[in-house]
Amino acid sequence: MGRLVGTISRGLRAPIIKQGDDISVFTVDAVLAAAESENIVLRDRDVVAITESIVARAQGNYATIDDIAADVKKKYGENTIGLIFPILSRNRFSVCLKGIARGAKKIVLMFSYPSDEVGNHFIDYDLLDEKGVNPWTDILTEAEFTEKFGNPIHVFTGVNYIEYYSQLIREQGAEVEVVFANNPTAILKYTDCVLNCDIHTRMRTKKLLKKAGAKIVYGMDEILTTSINGSGYNSDYGLLGSNKATEDSVKLFPRDCKELVVKIQKMLKDKTGKNIEVMVYGDGAFKDPVGKIWELADPVVSPGYTDGLDGTPNEIKLKYLADNDLADLKGEELQKAVTEAIKSKDSDLKGQMITQGTTPRRLTDLIGSLCDLTSGSGDKGTPIILIQGYFDNYIDE
């Protein structure tokens, strides 16, 4: 055990990037400048990660509510739209909702309850029990919901999302009717033309709706998959992963991220001689224990990464070794035994007891979550993350 420091995650400050800037040059320059400024020695298998926000901004991947409305109108015509399972977020959904409503005559807005998909709660589960409501079977009108639960205010934002979303729809000239249900097919009592807004369960939702006889079914991932009148677009995720840019426009999830990270990796190799992994990251994948919000409102943590970041960790649990197999050892003898166990571990430890308590999630999800926590979501000004030592283990020098 020579080196006494393991993983280091650094947020790199960089100039504000604008539409049309070369994000690859911007990233490489920022990494090299930080390395020189802080005397950082770059190594093979370091990780450089770029937040999706600046990638999309450089690409100019924006769309207006008129662009969204045009695509919705094209897909749904004059039909009443059943808009189901929206997340409760001004940043993530409000501008998208404006565009959808502008392209519709009437919307039946169906919320999931007691929370949205990513954990924003209307009410607590205990209140459901108190009122005798079964969220898996009971379909509630807005009046029934209000009678039982009042007018719930979001604990963090202070917003009544039922009123807020209804108002946004009306302001765009559409009628709105609000219902609450968790079975996606419940919307078919009101209309057979559905736009499902769920993120990670969207494929199952579409399948259930089509099987139940829905006439028109699209997901948010199918709105703005191509450019509308010169707008931005995302062929893989549509409106999913978008964020509010202005009151009338959204920044979409970035495109062509695989090509970008490969290009940056090559540029870094040419400049440093090191094989550095590169990824684009969005939301991390973790849950807040107080607010109960699951952070991942993007469709994926990483929309693009180099091949060396594919897969999952293959680690043994040192605590398990120390408490079980090597419980009778101490000092130098224990050190040698741990070293040998790490050296001789199988290339695939899946299913072995010695891995219990490790985190066998995808590397991109783990590293992306670390990046999201490092960069923050406010005014830190560190849209590029440099991670060193992530792939080291206890015996690496």
Side-chain angles (χ1 to χ4, degrees), residues 260-273:
L260 173 65
V261 296
V262 170
K263 180 181 179 181
I264 292 173
Q265 184 180 53
K266 183 180 184 305
M267 291 172 67
L268 287 168
K269 174 72 171 178
D270 292 342
K271 295 280 188 180
T272 68

Side-chain angles (χ1 to χ4, degrees), residues 290-305:
V290 176
K292 305 175 185 177
I293 298 171
W294 184 33
E295 177 69 11
L296 187 55
D298 287 326
V300 290
V301 173
S302 176
Y305 50 89

Side-chain angles (χ1 to χ4, degrees), residues 134-187:
N134 184 341
W136 307 113
T137 58
D138 294 350
I139 303 170
L140 304 177
T141 65
E142 182 177 5
E144 290 170 334
F145 186 90
T146 302
E147 180 185 359
K148 293 179 181 296
F149 306 116
N151 295 296
I153 302 299
H154 190 279
V155 63
F156 288 156
T157 65
V159 173
N160 180 327
Y161 279 95
I162 304 168
E163 293 181 355
Y164 178 51
Y165 282 2
S166 297
Q167 178 184 346
L168 290 180
I169 293 170
R170 293 189 185 101
E171 286 175 351
Q172 298 305 317
E175 296 180 52
V176 60
E177 181 177 357
V178 174
V179 294
F180 297 82
N182 289 308
N183 184 339
T185 62
I187 195 65

Side-chain angles (χ1 to χ4, degrees), residues 2-36:
R3 181 151 43 94
L4 298 180
V5 176
T7 300
I8 301 171
S9 180
R10 297 180 176 92
L12 307 187
R13 291 182 178 175
I16 304 299
I17 198 163
K18 303 293 288 185
Q19 181 175 339
D21 290 343
D22 189 328
I23 188 66
S24 56
V25 172
F26 178 90
T27 301
V28 171
D29 286 351
V31 171
L32 296 180
E36 181 178 3

Side-chain angles (χ1 to χ4, degrees), residues 198-216:
D198 46 339
I199 305 162
H200 307 292
T201 55
R202 62 187 184 276
M203 301 310 294
R204 177 177 181 268
T205 297
K206 293 176 194 176
K207 181 176 67 176
L208 292 174
L209 287 166
K210 291 174 181 178
K211 185 177 179 180
K215 182 175 69 174
I216 300 175

Side-chain angles (χ1 to χ4, degrees), residues 49-52 55 254 257 260-261 278-282 301-305:
I50 313 111
T51 180
E52 59 82 20
V55 177
C257 291
L260 173 65
V261 296
V278 183
M279 67 182 288
V280 176
Y281 70 95
V301 173
S302 176
Y305 50 89

Side-chain angles (χ1 to χ4, degrees), residues 67-76 222-225 228:
D67 299 325
I68 298 170
D71 203 13
V72 169
K73 186 76 171 177
K74 177 182 175 182
K75 287 179 166 66
Y76 291 91
E222 295 172 291
I223 306 297
L224 285 187
T225 54
I228 301 293

